[in-house]
Amino acid sequence: MTQLNTPYPSTAYLTGFLRSRGFQAEQADLSIALAHQLLSVDGLEAIHGQVSSLPRKRQTSTTRFFAEHFERYRSTISPAIRFLQGGDPTLAHRITSRRYLPEGPRFSSIEQYVGGELSVGDPLGWAFGALGIQDHAKHIATLYLNDLADVIRDAVDPRFEFVRYAESLAASQPTFDQLHTALSTARNLVDDYLHGLTLNALSRHQPDLVLVTAPFPGNVYGAFRIAQTIKQTRPSVVTALGGGYCNTELRNLKEPRVFDYFDFVTLDSGERPLLALIEHLKGTRPVEQLVRTYTRARHYVDFNEPDIALAESGTPTYAGLPMGDYLSLLDMLNPMHRLWSDGRWNKVTVAHGCYWKKCSFCDVNLDYISRYDLANTDVLIGRIESMIHETGQTGFHLVDEAAPPKALKSLATALIKRDLGISWWGNIRFEKSFDAGLCQLLADSGCIAVTGGLEVASDRLLKLMKKGVSVEQVARVTRAFSDAGILVHAYLMYGFPTQTAQDTVDALEYVRQLFAAGCIQSGFFHRFTCTVHSPVGKHPQMYGVALAPPPNATFANNDINFTDPTGVDHDWYGAGLKKALFNYMHGIGFEIDVREWFLENEPQVAAGRKTRHRTRHTVPRTLVPPNLIERALS
Ligand code: SF4
């Protein structure tokens, strides 16, 4: 399970590539099919059967609510899914009446938005206004699905989530033991559905070779279950695993049991390893000439052939995917998350890798960052035109790690010249070269949003992490985007090595000023994690931290624990940072001293509150002048 609103790009990329080389390649998205099977009348009836047989002590408020309101769930599930597929927009009126869909425990989150002067009338009125009925209904229907996901978790499979399913079995798991135990257990309802979907896909396509992509740890259990079904029912079909999870976590794979499921595991961009693998399977290439591939017999083989250039990798194709089945969800009330989860975007890559490749928290030593390869504008335009023609949709997500400004300028100029009328968004670095003129050009070409890393808003820490930007520069660049009408989302970080309580409070003050000055409209605070592939993981002493002893990993290896002598309890500060950000995104709380957000037991929206609570943590006064961003902008 990855996302319910859009297919993950890798299958579209590889199908397009393999077809461009003359292979008969088909793709299937079993994750959206599995979601639909669970979220159907039959699925809910099967789940209800399991809820009914739960012993009393295993029942939860979620399962009890589901059982009590089962008839309403059964009668509303198909219309709600159709609505989320965009098929029945007028149902929004009934959904927003709040009397149509059953409202289980997840709906209590709505009440958390309410506080102070904002609790007048409909609690969601402030977010959607009187006319935003479609969005309002999407949010309610998303909470309804989240309740159902919780029921599946409580009654069928404790590891279940629509995203990050059974993630803990795979994320940085040094041994295969837990996954092996889970895969050796009798199939539950979810596994049964996936088993059936795999059998259907096998009989529909009759493949010789099945490639399974696992972009994230939450895809790994499902990937192995799919491979298990293939090996049990059609042992002659060759299976191979690839994707982001393998590229980051399986770089030191020594576990033979993996090969009971997959015959091959490939690393990094799939195109070249797959060409070599197919030649090998056809008998025209010896095993020792495979490229970045683990095999059971030879372990890791890398013949070290050059990768296929981005320009030669073919046009992604969505042919064969059920484009009408994806669900437009509105989960968090965050403008950028909305782009991620709502609507289906064609995916295109301007450049493979990152042209900067220096940030010390990033996997700069791995191919997906370090190998920079730019496709020229004509190739990109050709791909964009072809995808519009194929899908009939004009929304594009540039899935770059950091799209280069020069290439964006060239792309924007060509888009305007050809009057393609697309909407697009993507990730960038907040480079000086994004000045007012370039931002306006990008907006004119259809750019609606950008995301970029501000990380810890502190010039000391930005320097230490080699981000290559300063807070004042970010202010000017983001303001240029905003002035051009482009939504700006900032990736924010806390818990970076040597970050003190003072740094955290000061960073929040910068963020407050950036929101107040209209530079950024959206953001998200991530807790820093150290990966073994990043400069911090490779040279911890340069960042003043000590790594935990490395586990004796035979399977996955990525995140690593570390000790920071500053001893700051970052999780505690994280709660205050997130609370403040939530309010800033809704345009409130700018007048409040940033220290207030860290006070314990405050409600989410604390505007106007004067009550102070004691805290055992230090929350120093900010040292940032209150008009610093304003000055930088003028
Ligand atoms: S964090 Fe972003 S800008 Fe920095 S090296 Fe990684 S991809 Fe590039």
Side-chain angles (χ1 to χ4, degrees):
M1 302 293 227
T2 307
Q3 288 176 286
L4 298 180
N5 67 310
T6 190
Y8 195 73
S10 51
T11 68
Y13 276 46
L14 287 176
T15 307
F17 169 69
L18 290 171
R19 288 185 181 183
S20 76
R21 300 293 169 122
F23 299 106
Q24 189 192 342
E26 303 293 340
Q27 60 191 325
D29 182 349
L30 300 193
S31 72
I32 190 69
L34 178 59
H36 278 294
Q37 202 151 1
L38 289 164
L39 300 171
S40 65
V41 172
D42 287 351
L44 292 200
E45 281 176 352
I47 294 163
H48 184 241
Q50 304 232 338
V51 168
S52 308
S53 61
L54 280 180
R56 207 181 168 75
K57 65 175 188 302
R58 281 201 45 214
Q59 288 168 11
T60 61
S61 58
T62 309
T63 56
R64 275 193 294 273
F65 186 90
F66 176 75
E68 278 163 29
H69 299 85
F70 176 63
E71 286 309 322
R72 280 180 68 206
Y73 277 109
R74 182 163 57 182
S75 67
T76 52
I77 188 69
S78 302
I81 291 292
R82 214 163 39 244
F83 170 74
L84 288 171
Q85 287 172 326
D88 192 4
T90 51
L91 191 67
H93 294 274
R94 287 201 74 187
I95 294 175
T96 52
S97 72
R98 307 280 304 272
R99 283 154 198 258
Y100 178 63
L101 298 178
E103 300 194 351
R106 284 286 188 138
F107 282 77
S108 63
S109 67
I110 290 179
E111 310 313 322
Q112 287 174 19
Y113 309 146
V114 187
E117 302 141 30
L118 293 160
S119 57
V120 187
D122 179 358
L124 286 176
W126 61 271
F128 300 109
L131 294 177
I133 284 180
Q134 292 297 324
D135 284 350
H136 191 159
K138 266 186 207 168
H139 184 56
I140 289 171
T142 303
L143 293 174
Y144 163 88
L145 293 195
N146 290 344
D147 268 330
L148 289 173
D150 292 346
V151 176
I152 299 170
R153 185 198 61 209
D154 290 351
V156 180
D157 184 345
R159 305 159 302 192
F160 185 82
E161 288 190 57
F162 285 129
V163 293
R164 312 174 120 199
Y165 180 25
E167 173 182 80
S168 62
L169 294 177
S172 300
Q173 269 298 338
T175 75
F176 191 65
D177 294 350
Q178 287 196 34
L179 202 49
H180 175 72
T181 305
L183 293 164
S184 310
T185 308
R187 289 195 299 266
N188 62 30
L189 179 72
V190 182
D191 300 326
D192 266 338
Y193 283 166
L194 187 57
H195 177 70
L197 291 165
T198 306
L199 293 179
N200 283 347
L202 287 173
S203 75
R204 195 163 63 246
H205 299 302
Q206 300 293 333
D208 304 310
L209 166 64
V210 176
L211 313 171
V212 183
T213 183
F216 305 108
N219 311 120
V220 174
Y221 173 69
F224 276 81
R225 277 288 188 191
I226 290 169
Q228 186 178 50
T229 297
I230 298 171
K231 288 295 172 200
Q232 282 168 355
T233 57
R234 302 208 187 189
S236 63
V237 172
V238 178
T239 52
L241 178 71
Y245 172 78
C246 307
N247 305 345
T248 49
E249 301 250 10
L250 300 187
R251 301 208 74 94
N252 213 0
L253 178 64
K254 296 191 186 81
E255 172 56 63
R257 288 173 292 181
V258 167
F259 300 95
D260 295 341
Y261 303 83
F262 290 102
D263 300 298
F264 301 95
V265 178
T266 70
L267 297 187
D268 302 331
S269 293
E271 288 84 354
R272 176 59 77 193
L274 288 182
L275 283 189
L277 177 59
I278 292 169
E279 284 174 17
H280 170 62
L281 295 174
K282 284 168 137 182
T284 57
R285 178 183 280 251
V287 70
E288 44 298 325
Q289 289 184 11
L290 289 175
V291 178
R292 294 193 304 269
T293 301
Y294 291 100
T295 71
R296 184 202 289 270
R298 302 293 302 238
H299 214 61
Y300 186 64
V301 186
D302 184 9
F303 192 52
N304 208 5
E305 276 178 52
D307 270 297
I308 306 285
L310 185 58
E312 308 295 321
S313 61
T315 300
T317 175
Y318 292 96
L321 294 177
M323 302 313 278
D325 281 3
Y326 292 92
L327 308 176
S328 275
L329 302 178
L330 192 47
D331 201 341
M332 295 166 103
L333 298 182
N334 168 316
M336 196 66 212
H337 281 109
R338 187 248 168 85
L339 284 187
W340 280 314
S341 68
D342 182 13
R344 210 200 57 70
W345 302 90
N346 294 320
K347 316 278 182 175
V348 70
T349 305
V350 176
H352 178 279
C354 172
Y355 62 96
W356 175 253
K357 51 184 147 182
K358 288 185 193 163
C359 303
S360 58
F361 55 85
C362 182
D363 287 343
V364 294
N365 298 301
L366 296 185
D367 176 86
Y368 78 96
I369 302 292
S370 65
R371 185 169 59 81
Y372 181 63
D373 175 21
L374 185 70
N376 77 37
T377 302
D378 290 343
V379 170
L380 287 176
I381 292 286
R383 288 179 184 172
I384 288 170
E385 285 178 333
S386 157
M387 277 188 266
I388 295 173
H389 181 70
E390 181 182 276
T391 64
Q393 290 179 333
T394 56
F396 283 81
H397 174 192
L398 310 188
V399 290
D400 289 65
E401 300 300 333
K406 245 183 162 172
L408 286 183
K409 184 175 183 179
S410 168
L411 177 65
T413 309
L415 286 170
I416 293 168
K417 197 167 153 207
R418 297 177 77 102
D419 197 16
L420 279 187
I422 67 165
S423 314
W424 62 270
W425 57 280
N427 197 42
I428 54 144
R429 295 183 68 242
F430 293 128
E431 294 275 0
K432 274 201 210 77
S433 39
F434 288 112
D435 57 14
L438 178 54
C439 291
Q440 192 56 55
L441 178 80
L442 300 183
D444 293 344
S445 77
C447 178
I448 53 168
V450 291
T451 58
L454 169 57
E455 321 305 350
V456 186
S458 147
D459 284 340
R460 177 182 78 83
L461 290 170
L462 284 168
K463 210 165 164 193
L464 183 63
M465 61 177 71
K466 297 198 176 65
K467 191 72 202 171
V469 298
S470 67
V471 178
E472 295 194 15
Q473 177 183 320
V474 171
R476 285 188 284 269
V477 170
T478 53
R479 181 59 182 270
F481 276 111
S482 298
D483 285 348
I486 296 171
L487 175 83
V488 181
H489 173 93
Y491 292 109
L492 303 164
M493 184 190 282
Y494 63 100
F496 192 75
T498 74
Q499 183 169 348
T500 60
Q502 184 71 57
D503 291 324
T504 301
V505 172
D506 288 351
L508 183 58
E509 172 60 16
Y510 280 122
V511 169
R512 181 191 73 77
Q513 293 187 29
L514 287 165
F515 271 96
C519 297
I520 56 181
Q521 295 78 39
S522 175
F524 193 81
F525 271 108
H526 302 257
R527 174 84 148 89
F528 167 76
T529 49
C530 181
T531 76
V532 292
H533 314 294
S534 67
V536 178
K538 297 252 181 243
H539 309 288
Q541 67 290 350
M542 286 172 62
Y543 301 89
V545 293
L547 299 187
N552 187 14
T554 51
F555 184 54
N557 188 18
N558 195 43
D559 295 355
I560 185 150
N561 290 333
F562 65 94
T563 316
D564 184 339
T566 54
V568 176
D569 177 0
H570 293 295
D571 285 336
W572 184 84
Y573 289 95
L577 293 173
K578 287 173 184 170
K579 200 194 310 180
L581 193 66
F582 183 88
N583 285 276
Y584 296 159
M585 282 194 293
H586 294 103
I588 41 186
F590 299 134
E591 71 290 357
I592 297 174
D593 183 323
V594 288
R595 287 175 297 173
E596 298 261 344
W597 300 108
F598 298 99
L599 299 177
E600 285 159 305
N601 307 321
E602 284 288 271
Q604 189 113 21
V605 176
R609 286 287 183 103
K610 290 280 179 269
T611 334
R612 284 182 177 275
H613 294 264
R614 282 183 193 286
T615 163
R616 64 200 159 80
H617 294 84
T618 313
V619 185
R621 177 185 293 278
T622 179
L623 300 176
V624 178
N627 57 351
L628 190 130
I629 295 297
E630 212 176 285
R631 276 208 323 260
L633 292 172
S634 61

